Amino acid sequence: MRLTRAESKAANKRALIDAAREVVGRDGARAKLEEIAQLAGLTTGAVYSLFGGKDGLMVAMIDDYTGPLDRRPVERIPPDRPLEDVVDVIARQFWRMSADPQAAGLLLFEVRVLELVLNDANLLAKLNAAVNTSEGDLVRHLAGREHDGVPVTAEQAVRLARALKALLSGLGQAVILGVHDSSEEFFAGAARSLVTSRVLGPA
């Protein structure tokens, strides 16, 4: 079936973003626009037409990377379930992501992106915005959940989200690198241990 102009444009954008992720994951800041376009089966002219150039494509690639966690299982937890249940699900998702054979490639991509953005203030700002968006998504799943008989405030949810991300990222990287093979239950237990007044802070 013949694609419409809008469908063809969307498909080309997707192909270029996917190609950019692969080349950046391999070459980091040395990624060449010509190689990205060739891998996508397109020309460098298509990059300029769709993204305005390499910088625009890099911004789109970073913006497209929303992080490793799929929030849909969290969304299926009824809103009357306590905070600990959501934290448990998030931790188990992170363990599954870390134990996935493709996780090493994702970690390498993240390292290459850091190499890329640390040399470009505009890309660094875009990455920070994407990180903040991801954090906001996590906060949305935590805020309002009941803990010790009262709903968690937005401020408490922010503190917990940041602690969770730091803990689970560290544990996940250790699993990916083979430092240890912590179990799903360990991830979940460690994450639940953060649900305390010391981490949450005042309401």
Side-chain angles (χ1 to χ4, degrees):
M1 186 172 65
R2 191 181 181 89
L3 295 178
T4 66
R5 184 173 180 178
E7 289 171 337
S8 179
K9 183 178 180 180
N12 288 342
K13 280 188 171 183
R14 181 74 263 163
L16 284 166
I17 288 173
D18 289 345
R21 285 193 60 168
E22 183 170 336
V23 175
V24 168
R26 185 190 70 213
D27 299 336
R30 298 182 303 278
K32 295 184 182 301
L33 185 60
E34 294 77 10
E35 291 186 31
I36 294 171
Q38 183 178 20
L39 183 60
L42 297 165
T43 65
T44 55
V47 177
Y48 284 93
S49 174
L50 294 169
F51 297 102
K54 182 180 177 181
D55 286 349
L57 175 57
M58 294 298 101
V59 167
M61 178 197 71
I62 291 170
D63 198 40
D64 182 70
Y65 181 67
T66 56
L69 291 178
D70 181 354
R71 310 290 187 206
R72 286 174 294 181
V74 178
E75 290 173 351
R76 289 197 290 269
I77 297 179
D80 61 340
R81 299 300 301 160
L83 179 66
E84 289 82 353
D85 287 3
V86 180
V87 169
D88 187 276
V89 168
I90 291 169
R92 292 175 188 277
Q93 286 176 315
F94 217 105
W95 178 84
R96 288 192 292 272
M97 181 277 295
S98 303
D100 189 291
Q102 296 183 351
L106 289 174
L107 179 59
L108 179 59
F109 172 72
E110 290 181 350
V111 171
R112 296 301 192 197
V113 164
L114 288 177
E115 176 190 0
L116 184 69
V117 303
L118 288 176
N119 294 307
D120 188 312
N122 290 330
L123 290 180
L124 180 59
K126 190 62 180 178
L127 178 62
N128 287 338
V131 169
N132 288 334
T133 297
S134 176
E135 180 182 283
D137 182 43
L138 181 55
V139 168
R140 178 173 61 85
H141 290 296
L142 301 173
R145 297 282 180 171
E146 184 177 299
H147 174 63
D148 283 346
V150 295
V152 171
T153 67
E155 292 77 11
Q156 289 177 318
V158 168
R159 287 191 288 269
L160 179 57
R162 290 173 180 171
L164 274 173
K165 288 175 66 177
L167 171 70
L168 295 175
S169 293
L171 288 175
Q173 286 180 15
V175 169
I176 294 168
L177 295 173
V179 176
H180 57 65
D181 57 352
S182 296
S183 68
E184 181 176 347
E185 292 301 324
F186 179 77
F187 269 57
R192 287 195 303 270
S193 72
L194 293 177
V195 186
T196 66
S197 59
R198 286 189 174 184
V199 173
L200 292 171

